Structures are given as C-alpha cells and as structure tokens.
Amino acid sequence: MDLWRIRGGRRLEGECRAQGSKNAALPILAACLLCPGTVELRRVPRLLDVDAALQILRALGCRVQQQGDRVYIDASSISGSAIPRDLMERMRSSVFFMGALLARTGQAALSLPGGCKLGKRPIDLHLMALRELGAEIEEEGEQIFCRASSLKGREIRLPFPSVGATENILMAACAARGETVIRGAAREPEILALQDFLCCMGAEIRGAGTDTVRISAFHPKSALCFTLPPDRIASATLCCACAACGGDLWLKDCDSAHFSTVLYFLNQAGCDIMRKSDGLYLRSAGKLRAVGPVVTSPYPGFPTDAQPLLMAALLRAEGESLFRETIFENRYRQVPELLKLGARIRLEDREARVRGVRRLHAAALEATDLRGGAAMVLAGLCAEGETLVRDSGHIRRGYEDLNGCLQLLGADISYEGEKHGVFV
C-alpha cells in the first residue's frame, strides 16, 4: 500500500520536465512484437503499467532490457501467443497485444483486461474490427482465442472513435493483404505516435490525427530507435496543481497543443499561460474563478482523464463550475473523497456542480483510480493540515515520479511505498 502525506498551503514555483507518455508507450510496446529484430525506445516512463507490458513481452519470449528511460526489446525469438491471465488483469491496455500477436503469429490467447473500474469499457469494437480483417475469434467466459491464417485489408467503420480499437486495427492491419481503411478513427496524439512508430518500422500509414487512417503496406526493418512523446495528462496534472496552489511553473519538453482544452479552462479560471516551442509557462495567483461547462469528449475535446484533475483545481474557485462526463459513467469516483476535505460538490447523473469553498481541511483519503488518486493529491496540496492519501498502486500506474516533481516545485509532500521496484 502506498501512502502520500501532504501538508497543504505552499505555492508551487520552479521548473520540471514532462515525463514520457504512458498512453503512447503501452501500444508501442505491444507493436514491438511486429519487429523481427531489436527496438530501442527512449523516454519510456517507469510506471506500473509499463512494467506490466514489459513482463508480457518477456512472457511471450522477447528479450527485454531497461536502462533508465531507455528500453531495448528483441522480439526475434518470440515463442508464444498466450498472455498469462494475471498479467492481463493488471492493466486494460494489455488488450493491445491482441492485434500485434495476430499480425506476428496468426493467433492470440488472452483474457479480459483489467485497469481502473470506471464503468463499462467493452472491447466489442476491437473484436468486431479484427473479425472484419479476417480473424476467427472465440469467447469462452473471460477467455478470448483469436486465429487468422491470413488477414485481408478492408474498410472498417468504427461507430465510436475508440482509441484502443483504432490502435489494435493499426497493428493487425500491418499483416493484412491490401489496404485497410479506418473510418471514424480516434484522433488522439497517441494514435499519431503509434503511426510514426510503425512507419519507422517500415509500415506505410497515413491519416493519423484525422478520422480516416489508411494502412497500405508493411516491410519491417530489423532494427529501429524511437523516442516517445511527452505525456499530456501528466503535464496537465502539474498545471492544475500550480493553478490551484498558486505559483509559477515552467514545464519543459511538453506539447501544450496536446492538452490545449485543459489550458483553455485554466486560463478562463484566471491563470496566465505562455506557450513556447519547448514547453509552457503558467502563473497563478491561487485565486481562481469558476468555469464551465466542462464537457468531456473524444480528442480534440476535453479529455476524460483530466476531468478529476481540473475538478480538484477548482475546489476553492469563486463561483460554481459545471462538469459533464460523457465517456465513463463512474468517472466521478473521486467525489466522495474530495467531500471529506470540505469540498462542495453536487452530483446529478453525469453532471457535477462544484461550488468553490474558502478553505479545505485535511483528511484521510483512499485513492479509487489513477486520475482520481492524483486529484486527491492535488486537493491535499490546497488543504489546511496534513492530508493522507492511501493508494493500492493506482497513481504509480500513470505517474513516474509525481512526488518528486511536486517536491521540486516546493510542495510539502512525502511518499511511502514502492518506487521503481524499490521501497523508499
């Protein structure tokens, strides 16, 4: 069990560097199976989810080495196509291995993925798309068996811009004969990162970042090196923290265009933001105004992952902020814990109305999911007294060193638990 101790009331000032993207790293690690040789990945964040993906690669017969933020993967000796159930249950993104395994070995055996309990997160679109490419899929309870003697390119229309389904199609289509066209594709920056990675490996793909993506050919290279993009949600987290506490933040090596909707609302709340080619500067007086409505939607809309973070930043804002969640029905799991701090939040189905309060008081909180846990840490930074956040590992699934970054900015915060495999 991880324990965060936060004494609130300090301004945040200084600079830090954005970590590598979690949501880009996971599908790209799965896509390494398509390379018959060695892949060097740079700027890989050290996260529990990344560790789970590396363990899956090892279980499939890949040779994996990790040195700092670099990971070396040799998939030339892949020896399996079945993913152990305990590894599948550690993270939802394990489902990405389905398309990659089909493309590399012609078969895949796995169970339903795990991850944060945010509500219904079916993989129906993944299975539908792979079946359209020619895969035979059997479902036995929570077990899924996929086979494909050959895959054939075709046009696939997604009724919802699912990020995971788009990524699974991209990987599986690399082994398909003929052109595959994805209509209604997800447009997230992580899709573009996967396209760039696959193109570096020898794929011919175009259109990522739009709703139509075309995969026409694949001539795999035996070796490549690729650098992951910055993490837009981790970057948004630090910006929300500075906005709530007040202070000056210089966030280096981030791409502000990737979380511009979050910055838009922080600016509306009263923050001064200056975007630069190599990062951004944010200044906050710590006295924010209410904003809204904040409506979550697929990219380029407001990200559902940032909803708990912005909510935490606005707990003391003047006025009432309105949030409307359209992606997950259980994305407000952080609310009961934030109420313990003295926050005023009223839930009505998928809407949350946050009435700012003058003061928050310390409390003992329990992290319920990755972003909700981070939101509790942010709220603790603004509360009077010592706030404790107990966490079973959710936060470390997505943040490489949130404790260290906040300390670097001047926060009075300590962390007790496992860090990069070592207890500290």
Side-chain angles (χ1 to χ4, degrees), residues 34-38 199-202 218-224:
L34 303 180
C35 181
T38 302
C199 287
C200 285
M201 196 189 295
F218 184 47
H219 306 288
K221 298 177 182 178
S222 58
L224 71 146

Side-chain angles (χ1 to χ4, degrees), residues 55-178:
Q55 289 193 44
I56 289 174
L57 289 169
R58 291 188 180 101
L60 295 172
C62 299
R63 290 190 290 271
V64 178
Q65 288 185 323
Q66 193 169 14
Q67 298 176 359
D69 69 348
R70 298 190 181 191
V71 173
Y72 303 87
I73 299 164
D74 183 351
S76 61
S77 58
I78 182 172
S79 58
S81 58
I83 301 176
R85 181 167 184 163
D86 63 318
L87 293 180
M88 284 295 302
E89 291 176 345
R90 284 181 58 182
M91 64 169 184
R92 176 170 176 78
S93 299
S94 53
V95 74
F96 295 137
F97 285 89
M98 184 162 47
L101 281 170
L102 273 177
R104 178 67 187 270
T105 69
Q107 56 187 356
L110 59 157
S111 56
L112 291 178
C116 295
K117 309 302 181 183
L118 302 177
K120 296 178 181 179
R121 304 173 79 179
I123 62 170
D124 299 5
L125 295 183
H126 301 245
L127 303 182
M128 175 273 291
L130 294 177
R131 284 186 172 113
E132 290 197 29
L133 290 174
E136 298 177 1
I137 301 176
E138 298 178 10
E139 301 175 64
E140 297 180 5
E142 294 189 348
Q143 294 295 116
I144 302 172
F145 303 93
C146 309
R147 299 177 186 83
S149 55
S150 65
L151 296 173
K152 185 177 180 180
R154 60 168 300 166
E155 181 173 302
I156 299 174
R157 294 183 177 272
L158 294 177
F160 178 83
S162 164
V163 176
T166 301
E167 290 168 333
N168 250 328
I169 299 168
L170 279 170
M171 288 182 271
C174 285
R177 293 179 289 108

Side-chain angles (χ1 to χ4, degrees), residues 24 27 38 47 65 87 114 123 156 159 165 195 206 209 228 256 260 278 335 342 345 351 364 400 406 418:
T38 302
L47 312 171
Q65 288 185 323
L87 293 180
I123 62 170
I156 299 174
Q195 172 184 275
R206 62 188 187 278
L228 295 176
S256 59
S260 60
D278 57 345
V335 169
I345 307 171
E351 287 191 352
E400 183 171 42
L406 292 172
E418 191 178 357

Side-chain angles (χ1 to χ4, degrees), residues 167-361:
E167 290 168 333
N168 250 328
I169 299 168
L170 279 170
M171 288 182 271
C174 285
R177 293 179 289 108
E179 182 179 68
T180 298
V181 181
I182 309 173
R183 306 282 188 188
R187 300 165 58 186
E188 274 73 0
E190 295 78 21
I191 303 294
L192 181 58
L194 180 59
Q195 172 184 275
D196 290 345
F197 175 74
L198 292 172
C199 287
C200 285
M201 196 189 295
E204 294 181 14
I205 306 174
R206 62 188 187 278
T210 74
D211 60 3
T212 302
V213 182
R214 300 177 183 272
I215 308 99
S216 54
F218 184 47
H219 306 288
K221 298 177 182 178
S222 58
L224 71 146
C225 177
F226 187 81
T227 301
L228 295 176
D231 193 303
R232 59 194 174 102
I233 304 301
S235 298
T237 302
L238 294 175
C239 290
C240 286
C242 185
C245 296
D248 297 86
L249 170 66
W250 168 236
L251 185 57
K252 300 184 295 183
D253 299 334
C254 72
D255 191 334
S256 59
H258 289 170
F259 58 106
S260 60
T261 51
V262 180
L263 295 176
Y264 168 81
F265 283 112
L266 291 179
N267 180 248
Q268 291 293 305
C271 297
D272 295 323
I273 300 171
M274 182 183 300
R275 307 187 193 196
K276 298 187 176 182
S277 59
D278 57 345
L280 68 83
Y281 172 78
L282 183 145
R283 171 176 289 176
S284 169
K287 298 179 180 179
L288 303 181
R289 300 184 296 270
V291 301
V294 181
V295 182
T296 63
S297 61
Y299 192 86
F302 189 89
T304 180
D305 279 358
Q307 175 260 105
L309 308 171
L310 182 61
M311 178 182 288
L314 295 172
L315 293 179
R316 297 185 303 155
E318 182 180 353
E320 183 178 87
S321 300
L322 172 64
F323 291 82
R324 185 174 300 120
E325 175 61 50
T326 71
I327 308 297
F328 296 125
E329 66 267 33
N330 289 338
R331 181 54 101 175
Y332 292 130
R333 296 182 70 198
Q334 77 276 8
V335 169
E337 300 301 299
L338 297 179
L339 292 176
K340 295 177 183 178
L341 298 171
R344 293 178 60 188
I345 307 171
R346 182 160 53 92
L347 294 181
E348 298 176 358
D349 193 21
R350 292 205 174 190
E351 287 191 352
R353 296 181 181 274
V354 182
R355 171 67 64 175
V357 297
R358 293 187 63 184
R359 292 184 177 87
L360 297 173
H361 54 77

